[in-house]
Every structure is written in structure tokens, then in C-alpha cells.
Amino acid sequence: MRRLLDLPLRLGPAIFAMLALVVLLALTLLAIPPSRLLMEQWANADVLSRSRLIFGSVQGPVRRALADGDDERLASILAGVAEDDRVLAVGLCDAGGTMRGATSMMPPDFSCDSAARSEAESFSHIVQDGRHVFVATFPVSTPAGNAYLAVLNDLSYIAERTWQIQIYVVATLLGFGLVIGGAGAVLIFYLLKRWAESLRQAVENARRGKRLPAGRDMSGIERQIALLFKEIEATRGRSETAEVKWSPQSLHDLLATTLPDAEIIIVSNREPYIHNRRNGAIELQTPASGLVSALEPVMRACGGTWIAHGSGSADRDMVDAQDRLAVPPSDPAYRLRRVWVSEEEQNGYYYGLANEGLWPLCHIAFVRPAFREEDWRFYRTINQRFADAVAAEATTPDPIVLVQDYHFALAPRMIRKLLPEATIITFWHIPWPNAETFGICPWKEEILDGLLGSSIIGFHTQFHCNNFFDTVDRFIESRIDRETAAVTLAGHETLIRPYPISIEWPPAALKGQLPVEACRRAVRERFGLAPSACIAVGIERFDYTKGILDRMHSIDVLLTLHPEWRGRFTFIQVAAPTRSKLASYSRLQDEALALADEINARHGQDGHQPIRLVVRHHEPPEVFELFRAADLCIVSSLHDGMNLVAKEFVAARDDEQGVLILSTFAGASRELTEALIVNPYDARSMAEALNAALLMPADEQQERMHLMRQQVREQNVYRWAGRMLLDAARIRQRRRVLALAGSAL
């Protein structure tokens, strides 16, 4: 704040001095033509006066020499006059127009006819050999009639004299201006210092809540500063430490105190509620998406508008004329705006550029990215469509827009053009690769420029932030400030921040769950397992980055190295089909089914199958029942931004039992350090971790789970959203302070 208030002190005098210099230069340029004209007039008058003086001094001797016919004496008289260095030549023309005598410098083509003749003196300008010459002609009376004395004056010295005078004029004006400008700058500095001190005092009074002296009313700017500081103090009052109990209510209070009347808009490809038509009826489905799991509780707490792709077969049947509907259906808290995407556009934008290009580019899973020009065109089209939807849904000029994930890398810049005052927070849910890897993308500059239209770009970890800085540094001409974690492009500053995403606490899916033992009985009965069977679960979408095949290989190794677990251990892998149009995904599903059959054939006995592969979508209550029934949960991502499945498993275990086996390549491994951290590419070490988890004593399980639950409880999704909204509030407040300081000037 102090640096902001001191800004006019640093810039004001300098700006005044620059303006004064510009004015002085303009005055100087305007003064040059009049000074030149004045010099020419003075020079002409001087030459005229000198010519008359010369004639007056020689007319008597010339008349006598003519009367005596003494040409030699006449030549001597004329030569004496020509000794003046400003006199070019002198000549005498007789009454018949013949040159009677002339000095040596008389131009050869000068004739008596070229001299103006009259009964009195006459003057004219002629050009001889490129020189301007002033000719003064004076009549000399003789017995034979009038003769004429012609005095030719060289005017070349006038140009030099004029140039010298102009230099003196310019120097004088500049010197005078510098004195006046310096005095003015000192005066302005003094006035600005007084203004800054009064503004600082107003800020200090507002910060301390100090009352003004009796009889003095608060000025307009002081009143605005006081109100602004109330908001800032409310923002500061929201500590980001673990002592704050982040909840829907605290998030709601945060919005009320730090962002009053703020409009929240979320943009994502995946919608929180999908309506599908099945067997003639419309069925509501909650998608299996970490993004939805994280954001839906935030929107229930904050309200606002969620803009998403309407992908369900019955989605159009459930919206109004403006493609909107209130959600959740049971207790509406916010508005869902659906955007329509054709099948061709979906193939290019979603399946093509987003999931065959950017997804493998950002995940180190050794799948080659595919980049096609037609996919890029669809990607740009859909990004613009969503940006237009944001502008259409916004009811204020400065909404807070939360742009989600790699599907909308271009949207922030597009939204910025439509809503220049918006506070745009883009959260990148997947990893950000190193600069060399990102350089593969043919449209890397456009993607970076699009993202840098944001006010804030968020990643899961500082490592991903660092990769982003390196990428921008390599491919975009911008100013990077790593100390303040900001990138400035074309005068616009974008903050780069780590915001580890999380889940709601307590999870809504935990409500209504049966006790852990009841969940275990239900799951064992459903899968036909023995009452004493040990259960491991893996729950995610069928995606090659999740390491499903790798964990199945580790189970194969476990049962090979520790055959005592055969018949006593079952791994239930729940995998929701996703992106089935893509060959890499459909191939993964086929490989997983074949591998499960192979392992079951090798290690199964007496009808027992060590791997149960369930390929269908599970609603959150079903997922949490499996979590509560399991002895361990395997999260073996090959590369992951965060992975919320790990946090959901921890949140589901209110009995503080169970073991989490977590990949070191998932962002969650930075937070859930009490899990058994594994390298999913090393099947043997994973197998040993599985064995250790199955043998882990209950008290150790409780100690580890207690610490992880504390971490998830304190670092929940409301804290994640709150930190972003706090940063958004600070950006908006800084913008208001700048506007306030500008208006005070």
C-alpha cells in the first residue's frame, strides 16, 4: 500500500518535467521563424544605412574626378570604398549607361542596365553566382548629366548571423524553461508529498479505526478509503492457516465480507448434473469427475452460474428457453447454463485436440500426442462459444470467472476481450509439463497467450507452476517476476499460484452410509467373498494415466511372491468407461479385461477370483460404500495433477482404519505423506507395499489415517476455493485503490 501511495511522488515531478520540456520545444520551434524574419529586416536596414554612408563620403571626390576627367583618381576612390569586407564591388556608370570604372570584384556580367535608375537613390536585390547581392544606386550630377554610383553589398554574412541569433534564442528559451520547469517540479513534488502524506494518514486512520478531531468531517476520499479498508481487513481476517474451519458457511461468509455482490461464474466442459433418457424415462446422473466432485460443493455454497457442455441425451428437455435450469434438483442453489456442441465439434474439440493432443502432452504416460489442424479450429470455435456464453450470463461488468481445465486454454483471453474488468481465475487440473515437452504443441504460443488473459492461473503444485514459468520464458516475449510469481504480457499481469485441490468436508456421500462392518458385509455378499477376505479397491475412470494395468501386474507379483494371500485377497477395480471413441481408451479396456482373466486363471482357486473388474459408472454413495468396506485403496497413477480418489478414501474412513497405497507421481502424495508411497512402474516394490499394507497393525493404520484425515479436513475444497477467492478479492481491491488514487489526482 505504501509503495502504491508513493507512486505519484515518484512519477508526478518527472511527468511534469517531461511536459514542460515538450512545451519548451514547441515554443522554441514557434520562435524560430519570427527571429529569422527580424534578423533579415535588421540586416537590410544595416546594409542600406552603410550604403548611404559610403555614398555620402565619396560623392564629392567622385564628382571632382569626373569633372577633371581623372580616371586614375576615380579608380583609386572606388578601390578605397571596396576595401570594406562587406562591399562586394563598386562601379560608376556614366549618363550613357557605360561602366566608367569598377573595382576588381565587380561581376563580369553586371551591367549598368541592371541597376535601377531614377532621379533619386534606388535599391534592388540581384543574384550573382549564387550569391544574394544588395545593389544601392545613387545619382551623381555632372556637367554631362547624371552618372550613377553602384555599391554592391554581399549578403552572405546575414545567413551566418541569423543562425547565431537563432542559437542564442533557443538557448535562452531552454535555459529559462529549465529554471521554470525545475521550480515547477519542486513545487509539484512538495504538493504531491503533502497529498501522499494526507492520503497515508487517511489510510492509517482507516486501518486503526482512529477517529478524526472534533469538528472535522471525513472527506470523500477518506470515506472511500475507510470503506475499502473494512473490506481489506475482512480479507486479512480470513486466515489461511489450519486453525480456520473451512466450511460451506465460512466460504459463504467470505464472499459476503470480501466480495460483496460479486458474481461467480464457472466454466467447464463437464456438467455437474446430466440428464439421460433410459427406457423411456429421464434419469439424473452425477458424472465420475474429480472436477465435478471439487466444484459442485463450492457452487452450492457460493451460488452463481455454472456454464458447461450439455452432453446428456435428455439435457435439452430439462432446460428453459435460455438453456438454463436450477440445480441441485432437490435443493436448488445455483444455475446451470448448458452450451450445445455438435457431434462433429465434439470429435474435434474434445476427443481431438483436448484428449488426443493436450491430455497426453501434459501427462507423462508415454502416449504420443496427436495434433490436427481441423481439431484446432474446432477447439478455437468452442472456446469462443463458451466465452460468449460467459458474457451473455454475466449481469455485472466485473464477474469472477473460474475457468476449468485444459479444455478452455483460449477462453481466458477471449473472455478478457468481452469483459475487460472481469477477474478470471483459470485452474489447470492436470499436470503442466516441462518447456521442452510443451514445445511439441504446434499452437503453444496461442495457448500460452490465451491462458495469460487470466488474472490468476492455478496449478496443483509448485512444481507445475515452475514448469509453466519455464515454458512462458521459452516461448513468449513477456516479463516474468518469480519473486512475486507473476507474468506480465502486453501490460497485463497474471499471477501464477499453487492451489492444491481437495474435496468437501464432510463428504455429502458419507451421509446415510451404514457402519463400516455393515458396508463390508454388503460388499462381500455382493461379490460372493468369504467373511474374512481382505479387500483392496481401485476406483477411477478407464484412463491410461491411472495405472490400472500396472496395479494389476503388481497384484500378480504379490500373489506370486506371497502365495499365502491366494484365496484370501480380492482386488475390486471399478472403472467407469470414458472417451470410448478413442482407440487408446478402448484398447486399455480390452487389455485390462484380458489381463484380469489371465491373472485370475493363474492365481484363482476353488472359484475364487483375485481380481474383480467392474466396468460401469458408480454413483458417489456406491463408491463410498466400497471405500468403507476395503482394507486398502490403491491409487497408482502414472502421472496425475492431484487425484481426489485418494482423498475420498481417507474421508470415507471415519473408523480411522484402512491403508492408502499412493503413487509418488500423483499430486496428492505431497499432502498425504502417511500413505504408502510407491513407484507404479516398479511392480515388485508395489507388491511388497501391498503385502505391508495387508499386514499393517490396526494401531498403525489408525495413526496414519488420523493424520491424513486431519489433512483432508483442514485442507478441504472450501479452503481451496477460499484461497482463490481471497486472491481474487485482493486483485479487485488493488484495482480499486489504483482507481481511487487516480481519481484523487
Side-chain angles (χ1 to χ4, degrees), residues 202 206 217-229 740:
D217 292 331
M218 186 179 291
S219 67
I221 189 170
E222 288 176 325
R223 188 176 298 107
Q224 293 181 59
I225 289 173
L227 293 174
L228 183 59
F229 246 88
L740 190 62

Side-chain angles (χ1 to χ4, degrees), residues 144-165:
N146 282 341
Y148 297 93
L149 180 68
V151 181
L152 279 66
N153 295 272
D154 186 357
L155 299 181
S156 59
Y157 77 96
I158 295 178
E160 181 180 354
R161 180 71 59 84
T162 301
W163 173 248
Q164 292 174 347
I165 293 296

Side-chain angles (χ1 to χ4, degrees), residues 623-640:
V623 170
F624 269 67
E625 183 187 48
L626 285 169
F627 283 149
R628 292 169 67 78
D631 296 284
L632 57 141
C633 175
I634 308 175
V635 177
S636 58
S637 305
L638 304 180
H639 198 194
D640 221 333

Side-chain angles (χ1 to χ4, degrees), residues 618-694:
H618 282 57
E619 291 294 330
E622 297 178 278
V623 170
F624 269 67
E625 183 187 48
L626 285 169
F627 283 149
R628 292 169 67 78
D631 296 284
L632 57 141
C633 175
I634 308 175
V635 177
S636 58
S637 305
L638 304 180
H639 198 194
D640 221 333
M642 175 54 65
N643 192 288
L644 297 183
V645 169
K647 295 187 175 184
E648 288 175 339
F649 173 71
V650 170
R653 300 313 298 256
D654 54 5
D655 63 335
E656 296 191 342
Q657 292 296 298
V659 181
L660 174 63
I661 297 177
L662 181 58
S663 167
T664 187
F665 303 118
S669 65
R670 274 72 167 173
E671 298 183 48
L672 304 178
T673 55
E674 290 75 25
L676 297 184
I677 308 299
V678 298
N679 177 0
Y681 292 95
D682 187 345
R684 186 181 183 91
S685 68
M686 271 191 70
E688 293 300 342
L690 286 169
N691 186 59
L694 292 168

Side-chain angles (χ1 to χ4, degrees), residues 314-624:
D315 275 355
R316 290 182 184 269
D317 300 325
M318 303 302 295
V319 296
D320 62 15
Q322 287 76 41
D323 299 322
R324 304 167 180 155
L325 73 154
V327 290
S330 58
D331 184 20
Y334 62 94
R335 184 171 61 189
L336 174 61
R337 161 69 190 278
R338 284 171 170 160
V339 175
W340 313 114
V341 178
S342 70
E343 184 176 359
E344 182 184 21
E345 291 170 333
Q346 180 79 340
N347 289 336
Y349 141 75
Y350 178 76
Y351 289 108
L353 196 284
N355 288 306
E356 284 191 289
L358 294 179
W359 179 270
L361 177 71
C362 293
H363 288 87
I364 303 174
F366 308 105
V367 172
R368 179 189 175 95
F371 296 107
R372 293 177 288 267
E373 183 67 34
E374 60 271 23
D375 294 343
W376 174 247
R377 288 197 296 269
F378 282 123
Y379 187 83
R380 283 185 303 185
T381 298
I382 300 303
N383 272 248
Q384 187 64 62
R385 186 173 302 167
F386 274 81
D388 293 340
V390 170
E393 293 298 320
T395 58
T396 61
D398 58 345
I400 295 177
V401 184
L402 304 175
V403 179
Q404 303 301 311
D405 224 352
Y406 61 100
H407 308 93
F408 299 108
L410 305 181
R413 178 69 63 194
M414 295 171 173
I415 296 170
R416 176 72 59 204
K417 292 179 179 178
L418 296 171
L419 297 169
E421 297 180 35
T423 302
I424 304 171
I425 305 175
T426 299
F427 191 78
W428 193 265
H429 288 258
I430 62 176
W432 188 274
N434 59 47
E436 184 175 6
T437 299
F438 194 79
I440 295 172
C441 180
W443 306 287
K444 50 187 173 291
E445 291 88 357
E446 292 91 332
I447 289 174
L448 291 171
D449 178 77
L451 289 170
L452 290 172
S454 309
S455 308
I456 304 172
I457 302 175
F459 297 96
H460 288 296
T461 67
Q462 184 61 50
F463 180 72
H464 296 153
C465 293
N466 295 342
N467 279 349
F468 183 79
F469 277 125
D470 293 341
T471 305
V472 172
D473 191 24
R474 184 163 181 175
F475 298 115
I476 293 289
E477 188 67 32
S478 61
R479 182 169 61 84
I480 297 175
D481 189 339
R482 293 181 185 261
E483 183 178 353
T484 60
V487 176
T488 301
L489 178 64
H492 172 74
E493 182 181 71
T494 301
L495 304 180
I496 313 300
R497 296 288 187 267
Y499 299 115
I501 201 169
S502 193
I503 61 173
E504 64 176 324
W505 189 278
L510 194 57
K511 188 180 297 184
Q513 286 287 339
L514 297 174
V516 168
E517 285 303 322
C519 291
R520 284 181 176 172
R521 283 195 300 270
V523 170
R524 285 168 177 160
E525 290 175 4
R526 187 181 312 141
F527 288 93
L529 306 178
S532 60
C534 293
I535 301 175
V537 297
I539 302 176
E540 51 262 305
R541 293 176 295 110
F542 241 131
D543 191 290
Y544 54 78
T545 66
K546 302 302 181 183
I548 295 175
L549 298 179
D550 299 85
R551 75 186 62 158
M552 292 170 68
H553 282 299
S554 70
I555 291 170
D556 186 16
V557 175
L558 169 71
L559 298 178
T560 300
L561 296 177
H562 300 279
E564 64 272 17
W565 291 112
R566 294 178 182 176
R568 299 171 50 204
F569 169 81
T570 299
F571 171 58
I572 301 174
Q573 174 64 63
V574 173
T578 183
R579 305 168 188 167
S580 54
K581 288 186 177 182
L582 301 181
S584 56
Y585 287 83
S586 58
R587 184 168 58 250
L588 170 66
Q589 184 170 330
D590 293 339
E591 290 176 0
L593 290 169
L595 182 59
D597 290 341
E598 180 184 334
I599 294 173
N600 287 335
R602 184 158 47 248
H603 299 290
Q605 56 186 26
D606 300 329
H608 173 261
Q609 294 182 328
I611 294 181
R612 300 293 183 89
L613 189 55
V614 184
V615 184
R616 71 172 180 85
H617 170 75
H618 282 57
E619 291 294 330
E622 297 178 278
V623 170
F624 269 67

Side-chain angles (χ1 to χ4, degrees), residues 43-121:
N44 286 332
D46 178 63
V47 171
L48 178 61
S49 176
R50 290 174 61 83
S51 298
R52 285 173 174 166
L53 184 61
I54 291 171
F55 175 68
S57 64
V58 301
Q59 64 174 327
V62 168
R63 186 179 296 113
R64 287 192 293 273
L66 288 173
D68 296 339
D70 190 347
D71 291 343
E72 184 178 349
R73 183 153 50 97
L74 178 62
S76 176
I77 295 170
L78 296 180
V81 174
E83 289 179 357
D84 190 324
D85 56 2
R86 295 183 186 173
V87 175
L88 176 64
V90 181
L92 184 68
C93 300
D94 61 16
T98 302
M99 181 69 71
R100 179 73 178 270
T103 60
S104 60
M105 295 299 293
M106 178 66 72
D109 56 347
F110 180 83
S111 67
C112 292
D113 292 337
S114 62
R117 299 189 178 192
S118 66
E119 297 300 323
E121 60 185 21

